[in-house]
């Protein structure tokens, strides 16, 4: 197998989906907390999540037992600076210091995300958060604080998780879809987030030249349902829009032509200042994280709305008849990960890390105190085989953090949709004790890590 000795095998969580303690320890409110509250009659909110704030020591012990080389988690900006741009909450800083120390002490590299869907809500109230340029300064100050306090031990940083998703879900930015200025605010916030990410990258490079830092892009691979020119052209356009346009904006020193075209088509002109391209160029990342779960097919014939206009949501809902799907319509297509990694590496030539990749399903704790998640084992095995092939073909892949380490609060479906290697015993409306129970996949992944990826039980079909 192709994995090098230092390959970063690990698993991932994010603050609002894992920590809970939403108002404990001096933490401020965030857009993620607010968004979870909006949905609280349907599913669990972020107030307890899976109680990582009180279970983290046990979780680090489990990571050690897993043999993990890396743990990806996010810092809650509002936990370390409750108002986003004001006083530092030393209690929050101490929490992350303890976690990072515990990881490093057992040889696990922290892979730290600065912003994972949870902007301090005080910034929304103060000036509309990232639609205002002042949020860039606030983010840079927060990033600098993290580099100062944690940078001696953290050598892998992710600036922003899935900006390309955030800017399509107004509530994640602190806006509401019924605001007439919503589209303009989202576009301006999108533009400012590129600058904020670049300023954090430049700051980190100056303070910790040995660190790797970059954004994390959500990257669904998009295929055409048929070879009709409509399907082929639409799949191409959507693939650029969802993944490669944002990647170009982060890496090339200017906003991608695709994003500029999309704003123009929507009649939106974000304010851009002289000197911004210098900021983007100085903040070019030295690695890139991708979150990759599945492929999607585009069926334009099935997705035409009134007047023949393409309904993008419907286009994405088309099903590939050759693949299995989760209950939530996410396909099982491990071989497409190889294609994705090749596409990404050959375009941008940056070291890559797969920072999210995982299988979700409804699960219950069995009478034997565990969960027999055979499908998740298949998913891991076949995606690792696909990564191995991509490495053999020349891709510089440095790590894989399976999503998620323990079950987390799914950002769209609460506790009903579980991804973890470790079962967390709580239901949407019954928090119980949040006890941890490793699933079969935990023990499988432990073997896989111990063999550095060589312990795959069988080579998947077609590789
Ligand atoms: C990614 C996010 O988009 O997908 C995670 O970074 C999220 O936060 C994951 O949990 C899966 O999505 P969902 O909606 O199933 O939780």
């Amino acid at each position: 197998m192709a994995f090098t000795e230092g390959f970063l095998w690990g698993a991932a969580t994010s603050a609002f989906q894992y920590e809970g303690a939403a108002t404990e320890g001096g933490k401020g409110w965030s857009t993620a907390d607010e968004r979870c509250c909006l949905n609280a009659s349907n599913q669990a909110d972020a107030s307890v999540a899976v109680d990582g704030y009180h279970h983290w020591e046990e979780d680090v012990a489990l990571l050690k037992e897993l043999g993990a080389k890396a743990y990806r988690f996010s810092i809650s900006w509002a936990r370390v600076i409750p108002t986003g741009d004001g006083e530092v909450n030393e209690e929050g800083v101490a929490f992350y210091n303890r976690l990072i120390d515990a990881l490093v002490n057992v040889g696990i590299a922290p892979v730290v995300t600065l912003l994972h869907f949870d902007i301090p809500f005080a910034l929304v109230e103060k000036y509309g958060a990232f639609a205002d340029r002042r949020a860039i300064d606030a983010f840079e100050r927060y990033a600098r604080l993290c580099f100062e306090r944690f940078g001696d031990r953290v050598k892998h940083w992710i600036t922003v998780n899935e900006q390309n998703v955030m800017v399509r879900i107004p509530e994640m930015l602190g806006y509401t879809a019924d605001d007439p200025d919503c589209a303009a605010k989202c576009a301006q916030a999108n533009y400012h987030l590129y600058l904020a990410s670049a300023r954090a990258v430049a700051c980190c490079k100056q303070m910790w030249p040995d660190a790797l830092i970059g954004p994390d892009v959500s990257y669904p691979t998009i295929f055409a349902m048929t070879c009709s020119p409509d399907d082929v052209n639409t799949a191409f356009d959507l693939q650029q829009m969802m993944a490669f346009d944002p990647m170009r904006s982060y890496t090339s020193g200017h906003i991608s032509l695709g994003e500029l075209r999309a704003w123009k088509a929507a009649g939106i002109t974000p304010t851009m200042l002289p000197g911004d391209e210098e900021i983007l160029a100085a903040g070019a990342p030295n690695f890139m994280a991708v979150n990759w779960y599945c492929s999607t097919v585009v069926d334009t014939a099935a997705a035409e709305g009134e007047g023949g206009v393409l309904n993008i949501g419907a286009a994405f809902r088309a099903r590939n008849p050759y693949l299995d799907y989760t209950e939530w319509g996410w396909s099982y297509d491990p071989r497409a990960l190889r294609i994705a990694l090749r596409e990404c590496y050959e375009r941008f030539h940056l070291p890559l890390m797969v920072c999210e990749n995982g299988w979700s399903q409804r699960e219950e704790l069995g009478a034997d105190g565990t969960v027999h998640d055979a499908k998740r084992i298949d998913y891991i095995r076949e995606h690792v085989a696909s990564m191995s092939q991509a490495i053999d073909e020349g891709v510089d892949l440095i790590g894989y953090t399976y999503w998620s380490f323990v079950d987390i609060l799914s950002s769209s479906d609460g506790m009903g949709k579980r991804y973890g290697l470790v079962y967390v015993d709580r239901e949407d409306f019954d928090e119980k004790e949040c006890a941890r129970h490793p699933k079969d996949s935990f023990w499988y992944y432990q073997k896989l890590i111990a063999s550095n990826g060589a312990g795959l039980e069988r080579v998947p079909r077609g590789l």
Side-chain angles (χ1 to χ4, degrees):
M1 298 294 275
F3 302 101
T4 55
E5 260 327 292
F7 190 80
L8 292 171
W9 296 104
T13 62
S14 86
F16 83 94
Q17 296 173 281
Y18 168 76
E19 287 176 10
T23 54
E24 204 179 317
K27 180 180 163 296
W29 200 242
S30 74
T31 50
D33 296 324
E34 182 74 10
R35 185 167 167 258
C36 287
C37 276
L38 296 175
N39 219 358
S41 55
N42 300 323
Q43 61 189 55
D45 62 23
S47 56
V48 172
V50 292
D51 205 23
Y53 193 73
H54 301 108
H55 284 260
W56 65 270
E57 285 172 285
E58 188 184 341
D59 291 340
V60 171
L62 281 169
L63 279 163
K64 181 175 176 234
E65 190 166 7
L66 180 68
K69 312 289 182 211
Y71 174 47
R72 176 190 179 222
F73 63 95
S74 74
I75 291 178
S76 159
W77 181 355
R79 191 176 290 292
V80 297
I81 308 179
T83 57
D85 61 355
E87 292 286 304
V88 172
N89 174 31
E90 291 298 340
E91 200 176 336
V93 172
F95 170 71
Y96 293 112
N97 260 325
R98 285 194 296 273
L99 171 62
I100 292 167
D101 279 345
L103 290 167
V104 171
N105 285 342
V106 293
I108 298 172
V111 176
V112 176
T113 308
L114 291 169
L115 180 61
H116 193 123
F117 300 166
D118 53 353
I119 300 166
F121 205 74
L123 296 182
V124 177
E125 293 172 322
K126 192 166 174 184
Y127 47 65
F130 275 96
D132 190 291
R133 213 174 160 93
R134 282 172 285 180
I136 302 171
D137 298 330
F139 184 75
E140 185 185 2
R141 174 173 174 266
Y142 156 61
R144 183 179 291 279
L145 174 80
C146 293
F147 303 147
E148 276 165 7
R149 302 297 189 91
F150 314 126
D152 55 336
R153 288 151 293 155
V154 176
K155 296 300 161 197
H156 298 85
W157 293 96
I158 292 164
T159 54
V160 182
N161 178 71
E162 297 193 352
Q163 176 178 333
N164 56 334
V165 170
M166 279 176 86
V167 299
R168 295 184 164 82
I169 303 178
E171 290 77 14
M172 284 192 177
L173 299 167
Y175 313 133
T176 53
D178 58 3
D179 175 349
D181 293 331
C182 183
K185 285 180 181 168
C186 289
Q188 189 68 61
N190 193 12
Y191 178 69
H192 285 158
L193 276 162
Y194 286 123
L195 295 174
S197 174
R199 292 255 295 266
V201 169
C203 174
C204 183
K205 281 181 172 171
Q206 183 240 326
M207 292 173 71
W208 299 104
D210 60 332
L212 290 180
I213 182 162
D216 185 322
V217 179
S218 166
Y219 178 4
T221 295
I222 300 170
F223 296 122
M225 180 67 120
T226 71
C227 53
S228 88
D230 279 349
D231 284 358
V232 170
N233 279 276
T234 305
F236 173 82
D237 286 344
L238 289 178
Q239 185 70 87
Q240 302 302 307
M241 180 186 93
M242 285 306 297
F244 300 136
D245 287 342
M247 289 178 187
R248 283 186 196 99
S249 296
Y250 283 121
T251 57
S252 67
H254 53 82
I255 298 296
S256 62
L257 292 176
E259 291 193 278
L260 293 174
R261 265 198 311 272
W263 288 330
K264 194 168 172 201
I268 296 170
T269 319
T271 306
M272 305 184 192
L273 299 187
D276 283 354
E277 293 206 338
E278 283 74 20
I279 295 173
L280 292 175
N286 54 15
F287 102 111
M288 192 146 57
V290 292
N291 292 349
W292 196 95
Y293 288 85
C294 56
S295 66
T296 306
V297 284
V298 168
D299 181 353
T300 49
E304 280 191 4
E306 302 228 338
V309 177
L310 179 77
N311 173 338
I312 291 184
F316 275 137
R317 280 195 293 277
R319 292 238 169 183
N320 181 334
Y322 298 97
L323 301 178
D324 285 346
Y325 280 82
T326 69
E327 186 181 329
W328 297 271
W330 296 33
S331 70
Y332 180 102
D333 191 9
R335 293 173 66 190
L337 176 57
R338 173 185 81 92
I339 298 175
L341 292 172
R342 285 270 305 276
E343 291 278 21
C344 191
Y345 186 65
E346 287 173 16
R347 276 184 170 80
F348 302 101
H349 290 279
L350 287 171
L352 297 175
M353 198 186 294
V354 174
C355 274
E356 285 184 35
N357 172 251
W359 181 254
S360 60
Q361 55 192 19
R362 288 187 195 280
E363 286 171 335
E364 281 176 17
L365 194 61
D368 56 355
T370 189
V371 176
H372 303 293
D373 52 346
K375 185 77 177 179
R376 182 170 295 114
I377 290 174
D378 283 347
Y379 183 94
I380 294 172
R381 184 182 63 237
E382 297 203 38
H383 284 77
V384 168
S386 201
M387 293 190 312
S388 167
Q389 190 179 2
I391 294 172
D392 279 340
E393 291 169 348
V395 172
D396 184 8
L397 183 67
I398 62 170
Y400 173 75
T401 53
Y402 174 82
W403 185 267
S404 50
F405 174 47
V406 296
D407 288 334
I408 43 75
L409 183 69
S410 152
S411 70
S412 54
D413 296 281
M415 296 307 302
K417 188 181 189 186
R418 293 177 183 263
Y419 287 91
L421 302 169
V422 177
Y423 185 86
V424 176
D425 191 14
R426 72 155 290 178
E427 307 298 330
D428 274 320
F429 299 107
D430 183 359
E431 288 148 15
K432 303 191 206 172
E433 303 291 320
C434 290
R436 276 49 176 162
H437 300 270
K439 303 176 192 174
D440 286 356
S441 57
F442 178 96
W443 304 113
Y444 171 76
Y445 193 38
Q446 183 194 53
K447 271 201 293 183
L448 188 71
I449 295 174
S451 65
N452 202 27
L456 300 169
E457 275 146 33
R458 68 179 162 82
V459 177
R461 195 161 32 96
L463 284 181

